[in-house]
Each structure stands twice: as structure tokens, then as C-alpha cells.
């Protein structure tokens, strides 16, 4: 009888602990969803409100010169790009979570793709008084056979992230396309800034979803999805991504995308 009582009490204690753990997990998931919705609300509403405000300025009698019109038109473009990038990140993350994202390799011009990203984010950089620099290293072959859409989104996220955390500084993009022999090639891309840097204790989970860093008032409202999406895209393309950072010195992200390219079959497909 004594042994039976002990077993029953132990079973009840385990059941109670499992129930408490389950409830704790549910509450944590609910909290994360609420925080995510708050971040989505802020990241979508902020640029959208700016766009509406700038359009009101353009339509009204506030502007006295062409330079002012040009200035606010530029601001509309910057806010629109910020909004589009946010929406793309949420859509991509949803596809990743549901397993509905695939690698789609095709031919694309590496230099053109990188230059288009620089042009796209130049207004965002100038609004922070940042200098956006593009350096092309060894380009053994400019026509690449890989997933250009994912490569572009990785680069956009990394550059936008560096601009966000850099004020009156420099964001440098360096791209190399290296032949490894035969059909083997490797795209090596780095994005380096001289911003505040990332503390060592934050580097370990910097690529995890919803992880955000402090950056003044906007810190807690970043979705924390950009770097997580970069990591997943790089993984899907069988590449590698890493980060180096020193507080007060800046941060450098580097990602490598390997690919095999049979030019004859690629051009005749």
C-alpha cells in the first residue's frame, strides 16, 4: 500500500509539472505573438505614415521650390522601400516556416544585381548621412547561375541592417566571384560598417528569429527577421554566413554561395 501511494503521488506530481510546463509554453507563445504583432504594426505603420505625410506635403502649398519637391519625393521612395522590405521579410519568413520556399537557380548578372541594391538603398543611407561604398574584388565570371532573387534579398537585408545601426558613417559592400576550378564557383560577399558594433554576448544568437539589438528608440520595434532570413537563404543555397564585430569599431557580415555552372547546358536550356 505504501509503495502504491508513492507511485500515485509521483505520477500526480509529474502530471502537474507537465501541465504547468504546457501552460507556460502556451503563455510564452502567446506573448511572442503579441510582441510580433506589435513589431509588425510599428514596422508597417511608421513608413506608411511617412509616405502619407510626404504626399500631403507634395499636394499642398507647403513647398516653394523644385528642390523641396525633389527632397520629399526622395523621402517617399525611401519610406516605400522600407515598407516593401518589411513586407517581403514577413512573407519570406512565413514561407520558410511552412516549408513553401524553394531554391530557383537561373542566370543573372552579378554586378548588375549588386549595383541595383546599392541604388535601391542609397536614399536610406543618405538619410542617415551614411556613405555607401561598393568594391568589386576578383570577378572571374560575371554571369552567375544561382538563385538571384534570394541572393538579392540577403544583400538587401544585410545592407539595410548596417545602415540602420550606422549614423554618419560608412557601409562598404565587397563582392567577389571566384573560380574554384572546373564548374565550381563561389560568390563571396561582405557588408562592413563602422557603426557601434555588437557585444560578444549578443553575437551567439544574432541570427535567431526575432532577436533585436538596442539602437535608440527604434530598437524594440525591429522585427528581428532580416538576419534570420539571410541565414535560412544561405543554408538553402548550401553556403555559409558569419559575423565579426567589435564594440565601438563596427560589424562585418560575410556570406559565401557555392555553385556549379555548366555554361553549355545553362545557355541551351
Amino acid at each position: 500500500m505504501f509503495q502504491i501511494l508513492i507511485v500515485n503521488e509521483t505520477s500526480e506530481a509529474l502530471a502537474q509539472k507537465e501541465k504547468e510546463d504546457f501552460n507556460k509554453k502556451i503563455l510564452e507563445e502567446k506573448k511572442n505573438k503579441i510582441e510580433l504583432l506589435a513589431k509588425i504594426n510599428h514596422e508597417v505603420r511608421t513608413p506608411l505614415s511617412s509616405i502619407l505625410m510626404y504626399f500631403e506635403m507634395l499636394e499642398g502649398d507647403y513647398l516653394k521650390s523644385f528642390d523641396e519637391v525633389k527632397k520629399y519625393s526622395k523621402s517617399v521612395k525611401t519610406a516605400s522601400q522600407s515598407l516593401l522590405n518589411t513586407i517581403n521579410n514577413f512573407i519570406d519568413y512565413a514561407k520558410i516556416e511552412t516549408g513553401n520556399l524553394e531554391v530557383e537557380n537561373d542566370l543573372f548578372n552579378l554586378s548588375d544585381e549588386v549595383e541595383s541594391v546599392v541604388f535601391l538603398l542609397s536614399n536610406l543611407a543618405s538619410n542617415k548621412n551614411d556613405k555607401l561604398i561598393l568594391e568589386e574584388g576578383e570577378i572571374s565570371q560575371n554571369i552567375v547561375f544561382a538563385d538571384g532573387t534570394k541572393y538579392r534579398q540577403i544583400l538587401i537585408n544585410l545592407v539595410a541592417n548596417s545602415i540602420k545601426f550606422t549614423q554618419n558613417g560608412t557601409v562598404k559592400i565587397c563582392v567577389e566571384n571566384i573560380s574554384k576550378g572546373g564548374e565550381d564557383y563561389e560568390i563571396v560577399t561582405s557588408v562592413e560598417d563602422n557603426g557601434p558594433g555588437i557585444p560578444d554576448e549578443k553575437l551567439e544568437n544574432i541570427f535567431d528569429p526575432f532577436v533585436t539589438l538596442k539602437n535608440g528608440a527604434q530598437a524594440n520595434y525591429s522585427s528581428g527577421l532580416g538576419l534570420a532570413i539571410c541565414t535560412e537563404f544561405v543554408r538553402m543555397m548550401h553556403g555559409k554566413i558569419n559575423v565579426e564585430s567589435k564594440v565601438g569599431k563596427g560589424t562585418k557580415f560575410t556570406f559565401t554561395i557555392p555553385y556549379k555552372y555548366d555554361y553549355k547546358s545553362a545557355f541551351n536550356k
Side-chain angles (χ1 to χ4, degrees):
M1 178 67 72
F2 182 67
Q3 290 180 337
I4 293 174
L5 286 173
I6 292 176
V7 170
N8 286 341
E9 288 178 1
T10 302
S11 298
E12 289 176 3
L14 288 173
Q16 180 63 27
K17 186 177 185 307
E18 288 178 358
K19 183 179 179 181
E20 290 174 356
D21 289 344
F22 178 77
N23 289 337
K24 184 178 179 181
K25 182 180 179 182
I26 294 297
L27 288 173
E28 187 67 25
E29 289 178 352
K30 185 177 180 181
K31 178 184 175 183
N32 290 338
K33 287 179 180 178
I34 292 172
E35 289 179 352
L36 177 59
L37 287 173
K39 290 174 180 178
I40 292 173
N41 177 59
H42 182 273
E43 286 217 355
V44 171
R45 179 177 290 183
T46 299
L48 188 57
S49 297
S50 297
I51 291 168
L52 292 173
M53 180 189 71
Y54 292 135
F55 270 124
E56 287 179 2
M57 297 288 287
L58 290 168
E59 290 177 345
D61 298 325
Y62 310 101
L63 307 181
K64 305 299 182 183
S65 68
F66 175 75
D67 287 340
E68 287 183 300
V69 173
K70 188 176 179 180
K71 173 185 175 182
Y72 285 108
S73 296
K74 181 179 177 182
S75 297
V76 169
K77 182 179 178 181
T78 301
S80 299
Q81 177 54 45
S82 176
L83 179 59
L84 179 61
N85 196 44
T86 296
I87 292 171
N88 283 338
N89 279 340
F90 283 122
I91 292 173
D92 286 339
Y93 185 74
K95 288 181 178 179
I96 290 170
E97 286 293 286
T98 56
N100 291 325
L101 203 61
E102 297 179 353
V103 174
E104 299 178 0
N105 292 331
D106 205 346
L107 295 171
F108 70 92
N109 187 299
L110 181 60
S111 293
D112 287 351
E113 203 68 58
V114 175
E115 288 171 6
S116 72
V117 171
V118 173
F119 177 77
L120 191 67
L121 298 178
S122 58
N123 286 338
L124 188 64
S126 64
N127 284 349
K128 298 289 295 291
N129 291 322
D130 290 335
K131 189 176 182 181
L132 199 54
I133 300 173
L134 171 59
E135 290 185 359
E136 288 191 351
E138 178 185 346
I139 303 292
S140 59
Q141 184 53 251
N142 209 20
I143 303 300
V144 172
F145 188 67
D147 193 326
T149 301
K150 288 182 179 58
Y151 175 83
R152 176 185 174 87
Q153 191 61 35
I154 294 168
L155 189 56
I156 287 174
N157 282 348
L158 291 179
V159 175
N161 186 74
S162 286
I163 293 172
K164 180 189 296 184
F165 289 95
T166 305
Q167 182 77 38
N168 301 316
T170 300
V171 176
K172 182 171 68 175
I173 305 166
C174 183
V175 182
E176 293 184 296
N177 185 19
I178 303 169
S179 173
K180 307 298 286 186
E183 298 176 1
D184 295 322
Y185 288 80
E186 191 174 72
I187 308 171
V188 182
T189 309
S190 65
V191 178
E192 184 175 5
D193 64 64
N194 58 356
I198 305 170
D200 290 341
E201 64 271 17
K202 298 290 186 180
L203 286 175
E204 186 175 342
N205 63 347
I206 192 67
F207 293 110
D208 292 346
F210 311 119
V211 171
T212 58
L213 298 175
K214 297 292 183 182
N215 184 32
Q218 69 177 2
N220 294 324
Y221 293 103
S222 172
S223 66
L225 289 179
L227 295 181
I229 289 170
C230 289
T231 304
E232 184 61 21
F233 281 6
V234 170
R235 183 196 66 78
M236 292 177 69
M237 298 168 76
H238 307 290
K240 297 178 181 179
I241 185 168
N242 63 71
V243 57
E244 306 168 65
S245 188
K246 288 187 178 181
V247 174
K249 298 291 185 180
T251 303
K252 180 179 181 180
F253 288 93
T254 303
F255 68 99
T256 303
I257 304 296
Y259 66 96
K260 288 184 178 292
Y261 189 15
D262 180 350
Y263 284 90
K264 185 175 180 180
S265 61
F267 279 103
N268 291 330
K269 65 176 185 169

